[in-house]
Amino acid sequence: MLNKLLPPARVPTPISGFQQIIHGGDYNPDQWLSTVPTILEEDARLMRLAGINSSSVGIFSWTALEPSEGQFRFDWLDRVMHEQARIGNKVVLATPSGAMPAWLAEKYPEARRVDRRGHRAHYGARHNHCWSSPAYHERVADINSRLATRYKGHPALAMWHVSNELNGDCYCDLCRARWAQWLEARYHTLDKLIDAHWATFWSHQPTKWQHVEPTDWVVDGMMFDWLRFNVDQLIKWYRFEADGLKRITPEVPVTTNFMTTTYSIDYQRISREVDVVADDQYPRFDPDAPDFLRQGIFWSMKNDLYRCMKPERSFFLMESCPGAIQWQTPQKLRRPGVLKLEMFQALAAGADGTSYFQFRAGRGAHEKLHGAVVEQVIPAGDIAAAEKMALKTRRFSEVKALSAAYDKMTGVLGTSVRPEVAIVYDWESKWGQKLSAGTGVDEYRYNEVAAEQYAPFWKAGIPVDVISPDRDLSKYKLVILPQFWVITPLMALKLRKYVEDGGTLVATYDTGMADEHNRLHLGGTPGCGLHEVFGLWVEETDRLPADAARPLTATPGNELHLPHDLAGREVAAIAHLAGATALATFASDFYAYRPAVTTHLFGKGRTYFVATRLDEAGNAALYGAITSRLHLHRAIDAALPAGVTAQLRGVATGAGTEAFVFLLNFSKDQKTVPLGTRVLTDLETGQTYRDTVPLEALGARVYRIE
Ligand code: GAL
């Protein structure tokens, strides 16, 4: 039974051949070397003590490497690389393009980004270079090729880290010229563009490609394209840096760090460019907060999304905070145990490494209060005192304990999971829904609703893939479309075929509303013929504030046994049945008795349509019933206590099955977890459990399935 959920082979890990779980950190010793010349040796000692086996180096070090144009200083980086190699650490070496030197900003003003009001930025901050500037390209190509040539073949060099968190847009003349070219390449004629953007609206028809004004918010189809264009700009930039590195060190994997589910960046597209998917996450995991469990569920979903971006290689949690995050206020300290919970959560979803921002916190500037493995309480300049103090501090001890745990769990490297359930996560739907004035959604609503569909599976320990729409659906028993706003004819055909062939498809309200230009579909939604698949058509959608209740009435004797007191909120898609059966109806307002949850047999499969935002109990009832109907497999075949999830990783080869269960407790109470028929051995303690296993408050544990 377990075999059904496991892949037939291990996948490569982020650093091929490295038989350890990566446990690393951003490392910026260039901020220290002039005042504490012994810092490299001290840090090496502290890294060893903490069990840190990798470091991300040089991320914003351009001025340290090239203090003035054409004058280079690699001596300090040579020493860093040497020291890291000496202690057997792997280096993720960054290109420095994430922050430009002052001399560059002065000499090449075109490299500085222009904002939407047309103002060119003064020198300062970071992540602010123009995507098109020839001078910036030239200077970056030069420093990158020097770095690659110098460290080619270096024993510490394990991965390239392009720039840092590539993001943002530029409105300079060069970028605007690229935009005009991009539009022309996409639409060929202005008439086609006018049609796609519905630009006759308010007399917005351009008569030149250059007329299409990217700051003009009224034409949402155009803004949709501006988002796409900027992802292309980012990809072009990434390719420019990555290709330059690969020409010199083809054997070294290249990546760049993503920022979870950032609204404006379609990371599913960018993931196709990188060798390793790497993410930076900063969840607000506060066990005292009422939304702690909800947060936990959301970040598990995010991790599943990341596994699915590149299932052929395990992902890497590149940045996380071992302490308190200084840009989140109030700066509440991470409670004991939360760090392990967050790191195990990433590993549970298939990550093969976790790293921190950062290893050693600086003494000054904007991030001095940002949590780090080595914070200012640990002195610099006296290694004996530093080691003594480090062992007395909570943060350092937690990191050290985590390393010890990682040492015992290398068996999980390269293992993964083959879920029977997929949630389709679509950046374009997120854009289309938010850009459409009237939906009233902010950039987080999409994630919230997706996580609400994900939650029942998380709580039941049922593995879920969170996939982009272009993935193969045929391997899943159940596919869920939360607010799948954009439907193209091709996607509609794919969904239709999936159901015809026997699949079960669930969609929520706001599915199939618009085409790829964000123009609404005609003739009732879900569009592109999907209303036949769902056996209904939506006439109009009522949108009320998020807390506005939508009481529902379950149809007596409904086949899913949905309970009588079912409730939704916020949205009501007012639909007409055309073949589907109502499992529940709205109970109030002028659309009382209209369908709220429906089912429809289509081909060999079945669809469900959910016309409102079901509350937690409603989603639990709906997906619980579908789970039983489809006999979905769980990591542990028993009901998990509240706040606890069980996540599976493993491999089922001809030689046998090797599988691991992670238990994560997103609650402040100790739990007793029933194990059903599973026999589990804790990888850290070696203890074997049958029937039940105790799990401490905020506990995170990993077990081998015997
Ligand atoms: C990330 C960034 C790091 C650091 C960190 C602080 O977004 O990549 O360089 O600034 O935030 O949380």
Side-chain angles (χ1 to χ4, degrees):
M1 213 155 68
L2 198 56
N3 292 6
K4 290 192 194 308
L5 294 175
L6 299 177
R10 286 176 196 262
V11 293
T13 55
I15 302 176
S16 306
F18 190 50
Q19 291 305 320
Q20 299 174 37
I21 293 174
I22 303 168
H23 195 195
D26 277 25
Y27 181 41
N28 303 296
D30 40 318
Q31 294 173 11
W32 288 85
L33 277 164
S34 61
T35 49
V36 187
T38 53
I39 202 77
L40 298 182
E41 294 74 26
E42 289 178 35
D43 284 340
R45 288 261 296 262
L46 289 170
M47 284 181 186
R48 276 202 164 161
L49 191 60
I52 291 293
N53 58 23
S54 128
S55 51
S56 303
V57 175
I59 292 175
F60 300 115
S61 301
W62 198 335
T63 310
L65 293 168
E66 191 178 2
S68 59
E69 187 170 2
Q71 302 241 302
F72 297 94
R73 296 227 24 207
F74 290 108
D75 51 325
W76 67 269
L77 187 53
D78 291 351
R79 285 181 56 209
V80 176
M81 296 293 283
H82 172 79
E83 207 47 35
Q84 293 296 300
R86 190 181 64 77
I87 60 169
N89 273 16
K90 297 294 176 191
V91 168
V92 178
L93 187 56
T95 66
S97 62
M100 69 181 77
W103 59 257
L104 193 152
E106 181 187 41
K107 181 163 178 198
Y108 305 106
E110 63 163 66
R112 288 185 261 132
R113 204 169 273 183
V114 171
D115 70 16
R116 30 189 312 119
R117 290 184 311 280
H119 297 149
R120 195 173 289 280
H122 292 297
Y123 173 69
R126 63 174 180 180
H127 300 159
N128 49 13
H129 68 83
C130 162
W131 301 105
S132 312
S133 154
Y136 204 63
H137 275 86
E138 214 175 276
R139 297 317 310 151
V140 169
D142 183 64
I143 184 84
N144 286 6
S145 67
R146 285 171 196 271
L147 280 170
T149 308
R150 192 168 189 96
Y151 299 108
K152 181 180 169 64
H154 195 288
L157 177 63
M159 200 185 300
W160 287 110
H161 178 300
V162 164
S163 196
N164 191 67
E165 294 186 341
L166 295 167
N167 71 82
D169 44 12
C170 175
Y171 295 81
C172 76
D173 291 345
L174 295 170
C175 287
R176 281 170 176 272
R178 279 191 179 184
W179 162 239
Q181 283 161 14
W182 186 93
L183 290 169
E184 189 168 359
R186 186 174 174 86
Y187 294 106
H188 307 294
T189 69
L190 284 170
D191 283 345
K192 283 199 185 129
L193 175 138
I194 290 165
D195 177 43
H197 287 179
W198 203 258
T200 338
F201 181 74
W202 290 358
S203 202
H204 273 56
Q205 301 95 316
T207 48
K208 283 174 32 193
W209 295 103
Q210 291 72 12
H211 285 167
V212 185
E213 173 51 50
T215 61
D216 187 357
W217 50 272
V218 301
V219 181
D220 59 83
M222 186 279 294
M223 293 200 295
F224 205 121
D225 271 346
W226 178 251
L227 286 164
R228 288 186 178 122
F229 165 71
N230 276 297
V231 172
D232 282 354
Q233 289 272 76
L234 204 156
I235 288 176
K236 207 164 169 179
W237 181 271
Y238 176 81
R239 282 188 190 155
F240 152 68
E241 289 210 49
D243 290 353
L245 298 167
K246 277 182 186 286
R247 267 195 294 279
I248 301 169
T249 56
E251 69 292 350
V252 180
V254 185
T255 191
T256 186
N257 44 347
F258 296 0
M259 294 184 287
T260 68
T261 58
T262 294
Y263 168 77
S264 56
I265 308 179
D266 180 346
Y267 282 123
Q268 286 164 328
R269 280 192 54 211
I270 299 166
S271 66
R272 285 166 217 147
E273 308 291 326
V274 297
D275 294 325
V276 174
V277 167
D279 188 34
D280 298 351
Q281 69 170 38
Y282 293 93
R284 218 182 259 276
F285 277 164
D286 174 5
D288 303 322
D291 70 344
F292 179 51
L293 175 58
R294 199 154 51 80
Q295 289 285 331
I297 293 171
F298 168 74
W299 290 94
S300 279
M301 181 182 85
K302 188 282 298 180
N303 285 325
D304 284 341
L305 170 75
Y306 270 68
R307 179 189 64 250
C308 295
M309 283 186 189
K310 201 173 259 312
E312 63 273 24
R313 189 168 195 167
S314 51
F315 74 99
F316 180 19
L317 181 57
M318 178 78 91
E319 276 184 34
S320 56
C321 183
I325 300 163
Q326 110 286 11
W327 49 264
Q328 290 178 1
T329 49
Q331 200 192 6
K332 189 167 179 181
L333 291 176
R334 260 192 195 312
R335 273 31 199 168
V338 170
L339 173 69
K340 183 179 182 195
L341 184 60
E342 182 186 341
M343 298 303 108
F344 266 45
Q345 183 183 31
L347 298 174
D352 274 335
T354 64
S355 279
Y356 306 113
F357 179 85
Q358 57 182 335
F359 176 70
R360 183 191 279 278
R363 288 189 61 192
H366 183 62
E367 293 181 328
K368 63 178 183 287
L369 287 179
H370 193 286
V373 178
V374 177
E375 293 181 355
Q376 294 85 355
V377 63
I378 299 172
D382 177 348
I383 185 60
E387 283 182 335
K388 219 162 137 195
M389 185 62 103
L391 292 174
K392 286 186 195 158
T393 68
R394 178 169 73 94
R395 179 102 50 261
F396 193 90
S397 307
E398 279 190 318
V399 170
K400 186 171 172 357
L402 205 49
S403 297
Y406 284 9
D407 283 348
K408 295 193 173 156
M409 49 199 280
T410 49
V412 306
L413 284 166
T415 59
S416 191
V417 66
R418 281 276 172 93
E420 296 171 316
V421 182
I423 291 182
V424 181
Y425 188 99
D426 181 28
W427 253 272
E428 298 220 333
S429 286
K430 178 158 54 167
W431 293 345
Q433 188 194 30
K434 178 176 177 293
L435 288 175
S436 300
T439 56
V441 301
D442 60 19
E443 64 182 81
Y444 305 107
R445 184 67 54 83
Y446 183 87
N447 282 348
E448 286 165 15
V449 174
E452 285 164 14
Q453 319 305 305
Y454 176 87
F457 302 100
W458 186 94
K459 291 176 184 171
I462 295 172
V464 176
D465 271 351
V466 182
I467 58 171
S468 66
D470 62 348
R471 294 285 181 201
D472 173 23
L473 303 180
S474 64
K475 58 183 179 188
Y476 300 108
K477 285 186 179 173
L478 173 64
V479 171
I480 302 169
L481 306 173
Q483 305 180 119
F484 195 64
W485 181 271
V486 174
I487 285 280
T488 59
L490 206 65
M491 186 65 194
L493 270 182
K494 178 168 160 174
L495 292 167
R496 190 183 190 102
K497 175 141 180 27
Y498 168 71
V499 182
E500 270 171 358
D501 292 349
T504 298
L505 183 66
V506 180
T508 72
Y509 61 89
D510 274 357
T511 288
M513 298 290 281
D515 69 6
E516 73 271 29
H517 306 296
N518 216 22
R519 296 174 306 193
L520 295 181
H521 286 301
L522 300 177
T525 59
C528 290
L530 274 188
H531 57 273
E532 289 171 24
V533 179
F534 286 95
L536 54 75
W537 53 277
V538 175
E539 178 184 343
E540 52 186 343
T541 302
D542 194 25
R543 300 177 197 274
L544 292 178
D547 52 358
R550 303 283 180 175
L552 310 177
T553 309
T555 310
N558 73 80
E559 59 184 64
L560 287 188
H561 308 293
L562 295 177
H564 185 69
D565 55 350
L566 212 55
R569 62 189 166 118
E570 192 178 321
V571 186
I574 305 171
H576 298 255
L577 295 176
T581 307
L583 301 172
T585 52
F586 288 101
S588 64
D589 223 319
F590 70 94
Y591 41 85
Y593 306 110
R594 299 295 279 274
V597 182
T598 64
T599 184
H600 184 226
L601 291 172
F602 187 80
K604 292 191 214 134
R606 181 188 282 277
T607 59
Y608 296 93
F609 188 80
V610 185
T612 184
R613 187 170 172 184
L614 284 180
D615 68 2
E616 194 183 331
N619 278 321
L622 173 70
Y623 290 113
I626 295 175
T627 293
S628 310
R629 173 169 250 167
L630 296 176
H631 306 292
L632 300 177
H633 295 99
R634 304 160 188 248
I636 291 179
D637 208 8
L640 298 170
V644 172
T645 188
Q647 308 267 319
L648 186 70
R649 284 184 73 162
V651 65
T653 63
T657 297
E658 213 181 329
F660 306 90
V661 169
F662 287 74
L663 291 181
L664 309 172
N665 183 3
F666 276 86
S667 85
K668 290 202 293 183
D669 305 318
Q670 152 135 13
K671 304 280 171 162
T672 300
V673 182
L675 298 182
T677 53
R678 295 263 186 267
V679 177
L680 301 182
T681 300
D682 187 321
L683 292 189
E684 284 180 71
T685 64
Q687 199 169 336
T688 298
Y689 297 90
R690 288 162 212 279
D691 303 323
T692 61
V693 64
L695 189 60
E696 64 273 25
L698 305 174
R701 303 227 150 236
V702 55
Y703 310 84
R704 191 178 52 246
I705 301 180
E706 303 297 349

